[in-house]
């Protein structure tokens, strides 16, 4: 069983994961939504039945919020900043597991790699986003941008 | 009776989340050991009494698959229940892990109640 990968699927998965894992509520947004801060991009590979890469991009503040919510600490706690990239990696790891299952079914034969996360320029991120096979933009309640894309 | 757990994950943040969930679960917890990969986990198991292992699969140096295989091949460790913390749902891998004695799988994200249910099922706590 395979399903079509589209923006709606990506949006739905990211939305579910952020709500359940980090209590961050999101909705679909438009590509014209601006980034307000430097960007962190996390990328994970999947190999086997299908091969490719899935990326999640958020700004620094959102990355700190991921860490704070996962760890149950305040976003201004120094640990939230020091673990922010790791938190984005983990969110993407969870998203990718669900993505592969929803796309290829429970009996899929895909192995996930280890997420790699780094700070990138907004221009570079937008280039990755626009050249992706499939992408989606979400925003949180404060209007902060979250990108997800398949390459 | 207090139970000792070993949490094996290369992500310190996930180890913290699992530890927090176990602590908040209402279970009688003794010690919670942590290991960043399978090799470190085997070293912990060599020197400490552990009732149950929570293990990720994808880790550098020694991944969860190798660690579970080594535990299954070691008479001192083959009776310690392992619960796999999984992101991926590769049925072939999961079937193979079940054949090695993996007792349960828990998907991220997880909550204290979910952890408690798993521990109670596996340990009869």
């Amino acid at each position: 069983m395979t399903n079509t990968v589209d923006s709606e699927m990506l949006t739905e998965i990211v939305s579910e994961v952020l709500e359940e894992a980090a209590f961050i509520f999101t909705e679909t947004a438009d590509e014209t939504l601006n980034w307000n801060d430097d960007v962190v991009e996390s990328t994970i590979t999947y190999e086997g039945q299908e091969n490719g890469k899935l990326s999640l991009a958020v700004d620094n503040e959102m990355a700190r919020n991921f860490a704070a919510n996962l760890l149950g600490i305040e976003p201004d706690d120094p640990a939230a900043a020091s673990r922010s990239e790791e938190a984005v990696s983990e969110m993407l790891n969870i998203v990718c597991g669900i993505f592969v299952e929803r796309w290829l079914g429970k009996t899929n034969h895909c192995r996930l790699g280890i997420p790699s996360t780094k700070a990138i320029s907004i221009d570079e991120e937008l280039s990755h986003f626009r050249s992706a096979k499939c992408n989606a933009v979400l925003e949180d309640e404060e209007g902060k941008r979250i990108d997800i894309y398949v390459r | 009776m207090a139970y000792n757990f070993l949490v094996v994950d290369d992500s310190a943040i996930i180890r913290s989340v699992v530890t927090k969930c176990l602590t908040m679960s209402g279970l009688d917890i003794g010690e919670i050991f942590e290991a960043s990969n399978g090799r470190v986990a085997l070293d912990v198991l060599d020197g400490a009494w552990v009732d149950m292992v929570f293990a990720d699969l994808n880790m550098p140096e020694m991944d969860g698959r190798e660690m579970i295989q080594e535990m299954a091949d070691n008479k001192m460790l083959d009776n310690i229940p392992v619960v796999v913390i999984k992101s991926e749902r590769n049925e072939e891998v999961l079937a193979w892990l079940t054949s090695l004695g993996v007792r349960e799988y828990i998907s991220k994200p997880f909550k204290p109640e979910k952890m408690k249910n798993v521990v109670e099922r596996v340990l009869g706590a």
Side-chain angles (χ1 to χ4, degrees), chain A residues 24-136:
Chain A
I24 291 170
F25 297 89
T26 58
E27 56 185 31
T28 307
D30 192 82
E31 194 185 331
T32 56
L33 184 67
N34 286 327
W35 287 108
N36 296 320
D37 195 355
D38 292 337
V39 182
V40 175
E41 181 193 65
S42 185
T43 299
I44 188 169
T45 58
Y46 48 88
E47 292 178 345
Q49 189 176 345
E50 296 281 350
N51 299 304
K53 291 192 267 190
L54 183 68
S55 297
L56 176 69
V58 298
D59 67 20
N60 282 333
E61 190 181 344
M62 178 70 75
R64 283 195 298 275
N65 286 343
F66 283 1
N69 288 330
L70 281 170
L71 293 167
I73 58 177
E74 293 299 321
D76 57 2
D77 187 310
S82 65
R83 289 176 150 186
S84 59
E85 290 194 3
E86 195 185 341
V88 180
S89 295
E90 276 312 318
M91 288 297 180
L92 178 64
N93 196 23
I94 299 168
V95 165
C96 194
I98 297 171
F99 165 70
V100 167
E101 184 181 69
R102 262 185 221 175
W103 175 22
L104 302 171
K106 282 185 186 296
T107 55
N108 73 77
H109 303 292
C110 270
R111 279 182 72 160
L112 308 187
I114 295 174
S116 154
T117 302
K118 59 179 183 180
I120 61 171
S121 70
I122 290 173
D123 285 346
E124 191 180 359
E125 194 279 334
L126 289 174
S127 163
H128 292 169
F129 176 86
R130 288 178 183 139
S131 63
K133 292 179 196 161
C134 182
N135 59 31

Side-chain angles (χ1 to χ4, degrees), chain B:
Chain B
M1 176 187 165
Y3 294 104
N4 291 347
F5 296 91
L6 170 59
V7 182
V8 192
D9 200 306
D10 56 321
S11 164
I13 212 160
I14 289 297
R15 296 199 304 271
S16 296
V17 172
V18 173
T19 299
K20 187 178 76 176
C21 284
L22 285 169
T23 307
M24 292 171 66
S25 68
L27 292 160
D28 192 359
I29 308 285
E31 280 197 74
I32 302 175
F33 301 97
E34 294 188 18
S36 57
N37 63 55
R39 175 59 55 209
V40 177
L42 292 172
D43 288 343
V44 172
L45 290 168
D46 194 36
W49 177 266
V50 169
D51 295 288
M52 188 170 160
V53 176
F54 285 94
D56 185 23
L57 290 180
N58 297 327
M59 295 177 286
E61 195 169 337
M62 178 187 276
D63 68 18
R65 299 164 185 79
E66 292 173 87
M67 181 199 78
I68 291 163
Q69 178 75 67
E70 288 216 12
M71 287 179 69
D73 292 341
N74 184 331
K75 289 289 170 210
M76 300 292 286
L77 304 178
D78 65 354
N79 62 345
I80 300 175
V82 178
V83 172
V84 167
I85 299 169
K86 65 187 175 84
S87 302
E88 64 184 63
R89 276 87 162 158
N90 183 321
E91 293 290 321
E92 271 180 341
V93 172
L94 299 185
W96 174 69
L97 291 171
T98 302
S99 76
L100 291 179
V102 167
R103 300 282 289 276
E104 287 257 3
Y105 302 93
I106 187 165
S107 301
K108 300 175 204 171
F110 34 71
K111 299 273 188 289
E113 187 63 25
K114 201 166 166 183
M115 303 291 275
K116 185 181 182 190
N117 291 341
V118 167
V119 172
E120 286 178 341
R121 274 200 302 275
V122 173
L123 295 178

